[in-house]
């Protein structure tokens, strides 16, 4: 019975639920298409791997050197985001039109556990600038780390390419519409039940019988002006028809 009651409440206000959901979906589409600034992301990878040379021959890295390089990554992640690196990137790449602080906030540095690979990502409203930024950061960092740490153990694995297809990372119209639909549906149903909870009037005789547990013996209907006018016109029409029938007789 409770479930039936809930369905009745939803059915009575189905138009309101549909209106709210439609408005939310339309607003989501409009915002995504016309009011969202696309943000692009480019990625480059560095590897921290020091090798030593003896009489012109490279020696294979040992377990100790690998562990040392892994431990250095956390230090490198902090150094990379400092003004010592970002300031030079800002000076060498004026096309980015960003200060050292702005470049730092747009840059993300990460590394997998027990891995010597560092992943750099840079975000910008232009994909070309995103590619230029992440590649510039990688090059400047590789050039400056020997003078900062007195060790040359950073190599660029791969750079971002402007020729690769790019799509905004903050723009997904399907997901936006789906999310707005779900949120609006939940919100509208909640609103309908809240309105029904606050409404203590009876709309039908069935509701009154259910509340009091007594049958309804009589009803007093409410007539508005249109109903009275319609009844008056119908009465006048019947009277005219009666007069016409009397004359014919």
């Amino acid at each position: 019975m409770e479930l039936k009651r809930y369905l009745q409440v939803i059915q009575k206000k189905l138009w309101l639920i549909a209106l709210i959901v439609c408005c939310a979906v339309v607003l989501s589409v409009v915002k995504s298409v016309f009011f969202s600034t696309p943000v692009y992301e480019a990625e480059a990878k560095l590897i921290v791997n020091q090798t030593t040379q003896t009489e012109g021959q490279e020696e294979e890295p040992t377990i100790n050197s690998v562990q040392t390089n892994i431990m250095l990554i956390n230090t490198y992640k902090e150094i990379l985001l400092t003004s010592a690196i970002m300031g030079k990137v800002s000076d060498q790449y004026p096309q980015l039109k960003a200060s050292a602080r702005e470049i730092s906030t747009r840059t993300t540095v990460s590394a997998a556990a027990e891995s010597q690979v560092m992943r750099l990502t840079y975000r910008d409203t232009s994909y070309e600038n995103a590619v230029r930024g992440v590649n510039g950061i990688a090059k400047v960092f590789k050039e400056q780390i020997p003078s900062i740490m007195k060790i040359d153990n950073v190599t660029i694995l791969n750079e971002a390419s402007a020729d690769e297809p790019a799509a905004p990372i903050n723009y997904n119209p399907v997901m936006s519409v789906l999310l707005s639909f779900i949120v609006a549906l939940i919100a509208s149903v909640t609103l309908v039940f809240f309105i029904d909870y606050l409404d203590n009037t009876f709309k039908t005789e069935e509701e009154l019988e259910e509340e009091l547990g007594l049958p309804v013996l009589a009803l007093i209907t409410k007539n508005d002006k249109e109903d009275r006018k319609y009844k008056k016109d119908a009465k006048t029409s019947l009277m005219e028809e009666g007069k016409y029938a009397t004359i014919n007789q």
Side-chain angles (χ1 to χ4, degrees):
M1 294 300 295
E2 288 295 329
L3 179 59
K4 184 178 180 181
R5 168 65 178 164
Y6 295 152
L7 293 177
Q8 289 175 349
V9 172
I10 294 176
Q11 186 176 8
K12 286 191 299 183
K13 298 292 184 179
L14 190 60
W15 64 271
L16 180 61
I17 296 175
L19 179 63
I20 294 175
V21 171
C22 290
C23 289
V25 170
V26 171
L27 290 176
S28 175
V29 173
V30 171
K31 179 183 179 299
S32 298
V33 175
F34 298 103
F35 296 99
S36 293
T37 302
V39 176
Y40 298 89
E41 184 178 82
E43 176 185 301
K45 290 183 179 180
L46 306 174
I47 185 170
V48 180
N49 185 24
Q50 180 187 15
T51 58
T52 58
Q53 290 186 349
T54 304
E55 297 180 357
Q57 295 182 351
E58 287 190 356
E59 295 182 2
E60 293 293 331
T62 63
I63 295 178
N64 290 333
S65 65
V66 171
Q67 291 297 328
T68 301
N69 291 329
I70 292 175
M71 293 173 62
L72 282 173
I73 286 181
N74 289 329
T75 303
Y76 285 174
K77 289 164 64 175
E78 296 296 327
I79 294 175
L80 195 146
L81 296 175
T82 60
S83 57
I85 304 298
M86 297 303 176
K88 293 186 179 297
V89 174
S90 179
D91 294 337
Q92 295 182 19
Y93 297 89
Q95 305 94 327
L96 298 178
K97 298 179 181 179
S99 63
R101 183 179 180 84
E102 291 173 335
I103 295 175
S104 178
T105 57
R106 299 176 186 177
T107 305
T108 303
V109 187
S110 61
E114 302 300 323
S115 172
Q116 297 176 253
V117 178
M118 296 174 57
R119 179 175 176 265
L120 307 181
T121 59
Y122 185 81
R123 295 183 178 183
D124 199 284
T125 54
S126 167
Y127 182 65
E128 288 75 14
N129 274 347
V131 172
R132 187 179 294 114
V134 74
N135 291 339
I137 293 170
K139 291 177 181 177
V140 170
F141 180 71
K142 183 181 184 302
E143 293 170 358
Q144 295 299 316
I145 202 65
S147 61
I148 296 174
M149 296 293 293
K150 308 303 180 183
I151 185 173
D152 186 7
N153 62 343
V154 175
T155 304
I156 299 177
L157 281 180
N158 68 283
E159 297 181 347
S161 174
D163 297 329
E164 296 178 356
I169 61 174
N170 65 329
Y171 177 66
N172 190 337
V174 176
M175 185 59 65
S176 298
V177 170
L178 181 60
L179 183 61
S180 62
F181 175 83
I182 295 174
V183 173
L185 182 62
I186 295 174
S188 59
V189 171
T190 303
L191 178 63
V192 164
F193 281 115
F194 182 70
I195 293 174
D196 181 75
Y197 175 77
L198 296 179
D199 187 7
N200 57 1
T201 61
F202 298 100
K203 301 296 188 298
T204 63
E205 58 269 22
E206 288 81 5
E207 294 179 358
L208 186 60
E209 288 179 353
E210 182 181 353
E211 181 69 20
L212 300 178
L214 299 173
V216 177
L217 301 179
L219 295 174
I220 300 176
T221 60
K222 180 180 179 181
N223 294 332
D224 53 19
K225 292 182 179 180
E226 293 184 359
D227 292 334
R228 290 195 294 271
K229 182 180 179 181
Y230 174 77
K231 292 179 179 179
K232 183 177 180 181
D233 293 341
K235 183 178 180 181
T236 303
S237 177
L238 289 175
M239 291 176 63
E240 291 178 354
E241 289 180 359
K243 290 178 180 180
Y244 180 75
T246 304
I247 292 173
N248 288 340
Q249 289 177 358

